[in-house]
Amino acid sequence: MRENLLNDSSQWPPVNIFDTNHFRQARIEAHNALFWMARGTHSFLDSTPDNGHLSLFWHKASGNFRTRSFDGDLQIGLSFPDLELYFCESGQKVPHSFWLDDRTPAFAEAWYLVELLHRDRDQSKFSTDLPFSSPYMLMGDTEDHNASAYKLELDALNGCVLKANEILGSVSHAVAQQPQFTKCRQWITLEPESFSLVLNVVVDNEAAKLPSIGMCLGDHLRPAPFFFVKVSETQGGAKTHLLDYDPRTLLSLKSIVNETMPDVELVENLVGKFLEANHSK
């Protein structure tokens, strides 16, 4: 039953690209695009636990990720291959996009303010502050973004996101087939802080989230993409560091591709790690 949810024509990018410095730089550029998306929602929405107000959601019609709605009907969307940021009004993309290419972060801030002004929104609410820090965060006017220099790498990153989104959709379906999880709510988000695509699982009558399943596009310790299963802080008690993962739950994309692991086997592997993590919490 799970097989028919997977798109056999969708393949992982060549994994040798993940070992290059160009991919690391492309990931930093893309991560900063997520930071700019998060700045819009953080400026206008009330903060929520685990920074859920910053989560990004897949928009099937555009094939892009978008923010939650803020200030009524506004959203920010992102096209990964060329790092195009754009405003949406009432769900519709509007003109005057901003590309993270040959422009400094200061230009991105100015773009936000101009677009808010054009829509007669309160510019004074906008802030570049975020509720987290990152060594990858670029600000100021001394260094240009350079997306066009990393076209191949951004295409590979986009391919990872699209394929991981399919895999997590199939994992969600498989988890829902488990008797104890049939009434759980599940949704997939892209998280700006960790640059991770995450399947969230919640039991409606319980406050705590169940373990999350996801793909991180790479971090300071592991520069190449990897799948993970992570117990939520509400389950495990103490707050964990962003880079902390149980190594037993990690599955690198390079190992998946090098071992020619079928999609169905990958889904079963992730579901198994989820069940084990939930049982041992």
Side-chain angles (χ1 to χ4, degrees):
M1 195 169 193
R2 277 165 280 179
E3 291 86 343
N4 60 16
L5 294 179
L6 296 168
N7 181 357
D8 293 334
S9 65
S10 177
Q11 302 296 323
W12 295 112
V15 294
N16 59 338
I17 200 169
F18 302 130
D19 292 324
T20 65
N21 184 60
H22 263 52
F23 179 77
R24 293 181 180 87
Q25 292 303 314
R27 179 169 53 80
I28 291 172
E29 294 280 1
H31 204 166
N32 273 269
L34 301 192
F35 295 153
W36 281 110
M37 297 174 81
R39 289 182 175 109
T41 49
H42 190 60
S43 296
F44 286 88
L45 297 179
D46 293 334
S47 297
T48 59
D50 300 326
N51 291 326
H53 63 301
L54 306 182
S55 297
L56 309 174
F57 298 86
W58 177 248
H59 184 255
K60 187 175 181 180
S62 65
N64 296 165
F65 278 87
R66 293 182 177 181
T67 64
R68 296 180 186 275
S69 295
F70 61 91
D71 202 39
D73 62 344
L74 297 183
Q75 292 173 285
I76 305 296
L78 171 67
S79 170
F80 268 118
D82 53 359
L83 297 188
E84 175 196 8
L85 291 164
Y86 57 87
F87 269 76
C88 299
E89 287 187 89
S90 302
Q92 300 299 312
K93 179 181 178 181
V94 297
H96 307 127
S97 298
F98 183 87
W99 285 266
L100 290 185
D101 191 49
D102 197 29
R103 293 289 186 273
T104 66
F107 273 94
E109 181 179 0
W111 169 74
Y112 250 111
L113 295 173
V114 168
E115 292 303 302
L116 291 170
L117 176 65
H118 284 172
R119 289 162 182 81
D120 198 26
R121 308 302 171 102
D122 188 354
Q123 290 177 300
S124 67
K125 289 184 177 181
F126 181 75
S127 170
T128 58
D129 293 341
L130 286 171
F132 57 81
S133 60
S134 169
Y136 303 123
M137 204 173 285
L138 305 177
M139 293 300 294
D141 59 1
T142 59
E143 184 177 356
D144 283 352
H145 289 291
N146 202 13
S148 61
Y150 308 115
K151 178 170 173 45
L152 289 177
E153 292 77 17
L154 289 171
D155 282 342
L157 189 148
N158 186 55
C160 283
V161 171
L162 296 177
K163 182 68 173 179
N165 198 36
E166 291 178 12
I167 294 293
L168 293 180
S170 297
V171 171
S172 174
H173 177 78
V175 169
Q177 303 308 303
Q178 304 291 324
Q180 66 270 44
F181 303 122
T182 54
K183 295 184 179 180
C184 285
R185 291 188 296 116
Q186 302 187 56
W187 66 98
I188 296 173
T189 57
L190 182 61
E191 297 302 329
E193 181 177 6
S194 62
F195 205 167
S196 297
L197 195 64
V198 178
L199 172 61
N200 305 272
V201 186
V202 173
V203 179
D204 276 334
N205 60 354
E206 296 181 13
K209 279 186 178 181
L210 298 177
S212 58
I213 311 159
M215 169 180 267
C216 178
L217 276 300
D219 59 29
H220 183 64
L221 296 180
R222 295 156 289 254
F226 60 92
F227 280 97
F228 64 85
V229 175
K230 195 170 189 179
V231 175
S232 71
E233 291 166 11
T234 51
Q235 283 182 302
K239 182 176 177 63
T240 59
H241 189 276
L242 186 66
L243 300 179
D244 287 344
Y245 295 94
D246 182 343
R248 296 170 298 179
T249 75
L250 301 186
L251 195 57
S252 74
L253 181 55
K254 288 196 286 187
S255 68
I256 292 168
V257 173
N258 290 337
E259 296 170 14
T260 61
M261 182 182 294
D263 291 348
V264 172
E265 182 180 339
L266 173 58
V267 170
E268 291 174 347
N269 188 308
L270 293 171
V271 172
K273 291 180 185 295
F274 167 81
L275 296 174
E276 182 179 350
N278 187 62
H279 180 71
S280 61
K281 69 180 187 292

